[in-house]
Amino acid sequence: MDRLQHSAWQYVAETLPPEELPMLAAHALADGLDSPALRELAGLPRRSDPVEIRELYVLALGELGIPLPDEETAGRCLLVSLAFGLAKGELSPKDVADRLSMTVAARTREETRFLSAAADYSEWIGPDELLGWENDLTTAAHALAAATDLGPDVDEPGALPD
């Protein structure tokens, strides 16, 4: 269930496009999971009606006993995933700022610092300020990655907290 559990917070955080859900369902079937809605979802073309795809996805999660997290938990997982991506060098500071597409609530001091630093980005930021912003965001990402209670593998399958 790891792949689907991981996808649940991404779905709620709106970082998982509906056209990717049929392939995700196909992979889950290949991993040994099975339910009527999961089979139906896996058989849909990527260009199917997004509403139908979402409904089948949520139904499949329910049939498999995988709960959708609340928006706060999904947002926190998104923050931590972005922090780890930046800390590992997989994302640039601008990638982080661009991917904060939903309202995210921060619970810890480190989450708040990271979110605040990311929110300071503007396309009008001057070159003299850009390096300082990137350093602040990277420092905040490392602090969050070191202090999170969501685990170092939030960007890996199965990382959603219970």
Side-chain angles (χ1 to χ4, degrees):
M1 264 193 265
D2 290 345
R3 195 183 309 241
L4 286 178
Q5 287 175 329
H6 182 62
S7 74
W9 75 258
Q10 293 174 315
Y11 177 80
V12 173
E14 299 176 359
T15 63
L16 185 59
E19 62 268 14
E20 292 183 20
L21 296 175
M23 185 56 72
L24 177 70
H27 285 292
L29 287 169
D31 290 344
L33 297 176
D34 192 19
S35 83
L38 189 66
R39 286 191 302 271
E40 189 174 346
L41 178 59
L44 289 179
R46 289 176 53 93
R47 297 190 191 276
S48 296
D49 176 27
V51 172
E52 180 184 10
I53 290 174
R54 286 184 187 104
E55 288 174 356
L56 281 171
Y57 173 77
V58 171
L59 183 59
L61 290 182
E63 289 173 353
L64 295 167
I66 301 171
L68 283 172
D70 58 65
E71 287 184 14
E72 178 185 338
T73 300
R76 290 182 67 220
C77 287
L78 174 61
L79 278 178
V80 170
S81 176
L82 292 173
F84 274 101
L86 183 59
K88 292 177 181 177
E90 297 167 354
L91 296 174
S92 72
K94 185 166 181 337
D95 290 335
V96 170
D98 289 345
R99 292 182 186 189
L100 282 176
S101 61
M102 65 176 280
T103 303
V104 177
R107 183 182 293 171
T108 67
R109 183 182 73 225
E110 291 83 8
E111 290 170 358
T112 302
R113 181 176 170 211
F114 180 72
L115 182 57
S116 177
D120 282 344
Y121 177 77
S122 164
E123 63 184 70
W124 298 285
I125 196 168
D128 54 325
E129 298 172 287
L130 186 60
L131 185 58
W133 172 75
E134 289 176 343
N135 288 337
D136 290 347
L137 184 61
T138 301
T139 299
H142 284 281
L144 176 53
T148 186
D149 63 345
L150 296 178
D153 298 324
V154 76
D155 58 341
E156 299 295 326
L160 184 65
D162 293 327

